[in-house]
Amino acid sequence: MKIGEVIRKYRKQKELTQEEMAKLLGVTAPAVNKWENGNTMPDITLLAPIARLLDVSLNELLSFQNELSAQEIQELTLKAEQIFETQSFDDAYAWVKKQIETYPNCDSLIYCLSLTLESKRFALQTSDNSKYDSFLLGCCERLLSSNDDNFKTAAAGSLYNYYLGKEQYEKAGEYLRFFSTQSLEGKRKQAVLYEKTGETEKAYKEYEEILMSSSQLLSLVFGSLFNLKCKEQDTELAKYYTEKRKLLAELFETGEYSVIAADLELAQFEKDRDKTILCVDKMLKSLDSITGFTAAPLFSHMTFKKADPEFADKMLISMISSFKSEKDFDYMENDPRWNELLNI
């Protein structure tokens, strides 16, 4: 980012037009336009007034290279590693600080160098780790305004952990807003806070919701892996993923139905008529187990909506209709057992 781009960025943040900025600086609007388009540079005597007007430091205003290439960032990070190994910790810290001051808007560099500093101060067991807290916290606060969500959440996580360790739980909780409400890590951090502040029931509920969401996600992932192996006609690994899905259902107590459903998909892939009949028969007889997880100790602190008394009957009709119309069961079409089973 060149100086003109820096001026444009902060002028717009201040909600100033080029004309308004020019008037406040005692220059013409075309002059401001030329700065922003990179055609000319502001006179050196105007740099301080521009910085004051835009509420930025001269250092930031003059950061012609706010962004670095990935290679440049990697080289600076490697150099930081070398300096920490060959020079005193304070000298290395001063070097890191200088690089970040030189490129104050390069989020990638701030993230990489602050991470290096954080890891080295513990690995090298410096005499007073806390003396670097202020600088590292400042780096994290900067990254909270990053356009990169990865940097933003990483910084929020570091700040959360810092204040959690200091037992400043209210302050730690402020950083949870940077995590999506659907984020499992955000929910885990919230659960830890509940635990620390004695809100045990809420902590249980959060942890159990994480387990529930994780089980559903893992089931979908194993199902996708199974489907990939089916497309590749890899029977051995298709069976392998089926066993994993069944173990997952048992681990999270999602009921016998989930276990049978996994076996049925394998039977479909193998076009195994006997196994298909066995699985479908079991599934139709085990519909009540679909909601069995609601009574599992694993989810005892969660509240579930009561099932419709007619749920099982409705599900039975729906499943039979699905089995009849599903093209993947074409191989069962002329099997009398199949027709008998679906005409219950």
Side-chain angles (χ1 to χ4, degrees):
M1 190 182 292
K2 297 184 178 181
I3 189 170
E5 294 172 336
V6 175
I7 291 173
R8 181 187 294 111
K9 172 184 174 181
Y10 289 104
R11 173 181 64 77
K12 289 184 176 181
Q13 285 186 11
K14 296 285 287 184
E15 297 183 352
L16 292 171
T17 64
Q18 290 183 341
E19 290 76 11
E20 289 170 336
M21 181 174 181
K23 186 176 180 180
L24 291 168
L25 292 171
V27 298
T28 65
V32 175
N33 183 269
K34 287 180 180 179
W35 299 342
E36 294 187 356
N37 289 323
N39 296 324
T40 61
M41 296 277 285
D43 187 276
I44 192 169
T45 59
L46 286 172
L47 294 179
I50 291 172
R52 283 196 296 271
L53 176 62
L54 300 179
D55 287 333
V56 298
S57 66
L58 273 174
N59 197 33
E60 193 160 1
L61 183 64
L62 295 173
S63 295
F64 300 141
Q65 277 188 287
N66 289 316
E67 291 299 330
L68 299 170
S69 68
Q71 183 176 349
E72 288 173 318
I73 292 169
Q74 183 180 27
E75 289 172 355
L76 286 171
T77 304
L78 288 173
K79 186 171 182 180
E81 294 272 357
Q82 294 171 354
I83 293 174
F84 274 110
E85 296 296 331
T86 58
Q87 299 183 27
S88 71
F89 192 90
D90 281 339
D91 286 344
Y93 163 67
W95 184 88
V96 165
K97 188 176 179 183
K98 182 179 179 182
Q99 303 313 305
I100 291 177
E101 289 172 347
T102 302
Y103 305 102
N105 295 321
C106 185
D107 295 342
S108 298
L109 184 69
I110 294 172
Y111 174 77
C112 291
L113 291 186
S114 61
L115 192 63
T116 301
L117 175 61
E118 175 72 359
S119 62
K120 291 296 182 182
R121 70 168 175 161
F122 288 106
L124 299 177
Q125 296 183 340
T126 58
S127 57
D128 184 10
N129 275 326
S130 62
K131 68 185 285 189
Y132 308 104
D133 284 348
S134 178
F135 175 74
L136 286 166
L137 292 174
C139 288
C140 288
E141 290 289 351
R142 286 195 207 182
L143 291 175
L144 290 178
S145 59
S146 173
N147 292 323
D148 189 314
D149 287 340
N150 292 321
F151 294 147
K152 192 179 296 185
T153 53
S158 294
L159 290 163
Y160 165 91
N161 289 331
Y162 175 81
Y163 289 108
L164 187 74
K166 296 291 183 181
E167 298 184 2
Q168 297 181 34
Y169 302 130
E170 185 175 349
K171 183 70 175 176
E174 292 176 8
Y175 298 100
L176 292 180
R177 62 191 173 89
F178 291 95
F179 293 85
S180 163
T181 54
Q182 302 304 313
S183 162
L184 296 185
E185 178 57 13
K187 288 181 74 65
R188 187 193 68 81
K189 289 183 185 308
Q190 180 64 76
V192 171
L193 272 183
Y194 284 144
E195 194 177 341
K196 294 289 187 181
T197 56
E199 298 178 89
T200 309
E201 287 300 309
K202 289 183 178 180
Y204 272 122
K205 186 173 181 293
E206 289 287 343
Y207 285 132
E208 290 175 10
E209 287 179 358
I210 292 170
L211 290 176
M212 176 66 74
S213 297
S214 298
S215 71
Q216 293 170 343
L217 177 60
L218 289 171
S219 181
L220 290 171
V221 170
F222 277 124
S224 296
L225 290 170
F226 170 81
N227 290 332
L228 284 172
K229 289 306 171 184
C230 289
K231 289 178 182 178
E232 295 171 4
Q233 295 297 307
D234 189 336
T235 304
E236 184 178 348
L237 281 178
K239 289 180 178 178
Y240 171 81
Y241 285 123
T242 296
E243 290 305 312
K244 293 299 180 184
R245 293 170 74 188
K246 290 163 65 177
L247 287 172
L248 184 70
E250 292 171 4
L251 175 64
F252 287 99
E253 302 181 58
T254 52
E256 182 186 6
Y257 181 90
S258 299
V259 176
I260 302 168
D263 275 332
L264 178 59
E265 288 192 37
L266 181 61
Q268 283 180 276
F269 168 59
E270 296 179 317
K271 299 191 184 305
D272 185 327
R273 292 188 172 206
D274 292 338
K275 191 172 182 179
T276 299
I277 292 291
L278 180 64
C279 288
V280 171
D281 185 41
K282 284 184 176 180
M283 287 179 75
L284 295 176
K285 292 175 180 176
S286 64
L287 290 177
D288 289 340
S289 73
I290 291 179
T291 58
F293 65 88
T294 61
L298 200 59
F299 308 113
S300 60
H301 296 81
M302 293 179 64
T303 303
F304 298 97
K305 184 179 178 181
K306 284 189 176 182
D308 183 339
E310 299 177 357
F311 170 77
D313 292 336
K314 292 178 180 178
M315 191 68 179
L316 179 63
I317 295 171
S318 175
M319 286 184 64
I320 290 175
S321 175
S322 176
F323 287 139
K324 285 180 177 180
S325 61
E326 181 62 57
K327 290 183 179 180
D328 288 341
F329 289 106
D330 285 351
Y331 64 97
M332 299 297 296
E333 190 174 357
N334 297 320
D335 192 313
R337 297 172 300 169
W338 180 251
N339 296 326
E340 182 183 353
L341 185 62
L342 299 186
N343 284 324
I344 296 174

